[in-house]
Amino acid sequence: MSIGKSLHGIGWRVLDKMAENNAQKKVNVKVSVVVPVRNNQEMIAECIESLLNQDFHKDEFEIIIVDNNSTDNTAEIIKRYPVKYLFEGKTGRTKARNTGIKHASGDIICFTDSDCVAHKSWIRELAQGFNDASIGGVGGKSLGHEVSNLTEKYIELLYEEYNLSFRSSDPPQIMTGNAAYRARVLEEVGCFDESFETSEDYDLSARVFWSGYRLEYAPKAIVYHRHRSNLKKFFAQYFEYGRGYVRFSNKHRSRLNKNMNKTKLRHFYYRILSDPKISPDIRTKIHFYFAINVQNLAFLMGKTFERMVGRFR
């Protein structure tokens, strides 16, 4: 049995029981779900099926899949399902999400990614998070989908840290793999900034927060994310995060509390390397230590690259 299955099997059963007990609690709001996808024929079907299987009232939500100029069989797979298919020829997740927003009819717009699987109560839990007019956005809990090796386990620990520190972050960050915003708030702040290739979710949630809206965490709104399976892919991911961070910092330089975030990271690294429940043997410690260095090197190289490229823009 994989690590992910053993960790989450009990949780699935508990959540399913809770969903059965609460499924009839109607949320009087129209919801749109927007999923951007590019060349992901391997995963898009399971993502769509998890959305079609939601316990939310079927006439009160729509599923919008934005094909971001795929060249594989992604489009054909999407069209097999009763969802709204949109094509966006200009590549980029921010552009694809904004295209979905423009065609959404919901009062609340939820976002997830094509490599995610949503628990069946996901939409309902996010929608119930908007229990006050001052709340502009809600983020849910992201967990690993069938975590099976130490690289994926390390990334799972990063996600757990995000889940635990949501309310203490400055500003709070809502990852677009598991996010929801009021449609009117998105219109007010200007949706996703299409100059961003990564960190667009951090930019959006920060702008919503700094516009005076509350950002809330809904721990029962769960999606399962397929983590990067090896350190090469992990390096590429954090290289892009480094590039996105530079753009975010340049845009919001005067508002950021960089020291607090650095301190939190150092505490996280110390905890995972020193806690025997997390790193029970030397092999795990070495792998996590190596993953920490890969993460930081990739992030630093991404920042350096973006600063160099920025000089020629």
Side-chain angles (χ1 to χ4, degrees), residues 95-230:
K95 179 64 177 177
R97 290 195 184 101
N98 283 344
T99 296
I101 293 169
K102 290 175 184 176
H103 291 83
S105 61
D107 305 299
I108 292 172
I109 303 180
C110 300
F111 299 94
T112 191
D113 293 324
S114 62
D115 58 356
C116 294
V117 176
H119 188 269
K120 69 180 183 180
S121 63
W122 176 65
I123 293 177
R124 177 169 50 77
E125 294 291 348
L126 283 178
Q128 287 178 343
F130 292 90
N131 54 19
D132 188 282
S134 66
I135 298 173
V138 176
K141 178 182 286 188
S142 297
L143 300 172
H145 180 68
E146 297 188 350
V147 177
S148 60
N149 63 47
L150 287 175
T151 298
E152 293 173 357
K153 177 59 180 174
Y154 177 74
I155 299 172
E156 178 77 343
L157 292 169
L158 289 173
Y159 271 72
E160 289 176 2
E161 180 67 14
Y162 163 82
N163 294 328
L164 290 171
S165 63
F166 180 93
R167 290 189 173 90
S168 63
S169 297
D170 183 21
Q173 178 183 3
I174 300 180
M175 296 189 296
T176 39
N178 190 348
Y181 291 94
R182 294 189 191 275
R184 61 174 175 80
V185 172
L186 291 175
E187 183 178 1
E188 178 184 332
V189 303
C191 299
F192 290 96
D193 185 338
E194 294 179 12
S195 69
F196 281 73
E197 296 173 11
T198 60
S199 299
E200 74 283 355
D201 48 3
Y202 196 11
D203 172 68
L204 176 61
S205 54
R207 285 187 285 120
V208 171
F209 181 73
W210 288 327
S211 294
Y213 293 99
R214 289 163 51 199
L215 300 178
E216 289 296 322
Y217 180 56
K220 296 177 184 176
I222 295 175
V223 299
Y224 292 85
H225 175 262
R226 292 178 177 84
H227 300 326
R228 302 302 189 272
S229 59
N230 57 59

Side-chain angles (χ1 to χ4, degrees), residues 222-264:
I222 295 175
V223 299
Y224 292 85
H225 175 262
R226 292 178 177 84
H227 300 326
R228 302 302 189 272
S229 59
N230 57 59
L231 290 176
K232 180 179 179 181
K233 293 179 180 179
F234 183 54
F235 180 95
Q237 181 183 31
Y238 267 82
F239 181 88
E240 292 303 320
Y241 284 173
R243 295 189 64 189
Y245 181 77
V246 169
R247 294 193 183 190
F248 180 83
S249 297
N250 289 340
K251 184 176 180 180
H252 304 293
R253 188 180 305 276
S254 63
R255 292 178 176 267
L256 295 180
N257 185 350
K258 297 180 181 180
N259 291 331
M260 187 187 78
N261 292 331
K262 289 179 180 178
T263 300
K264 285 169 58 180

Side-chain angles (χ1 to χ4, degrees), residues 35-37 40-49 65 73-74 77-78 81 113-115 226:
V35 183
V37 58
N40 198 1
Q41 61 184 16
E42 295 83 6
M43 302 177 185
I44 188 60
E46 188 174 6
C47 174
I48 293 174
E49 287 169 6
I65 311 296
N73 293 321
T74 294
I77 294 170
I78 297 169
Y81 295 95
D113 293 324
S114 62
D115 58 356
R226 292 178 177 84

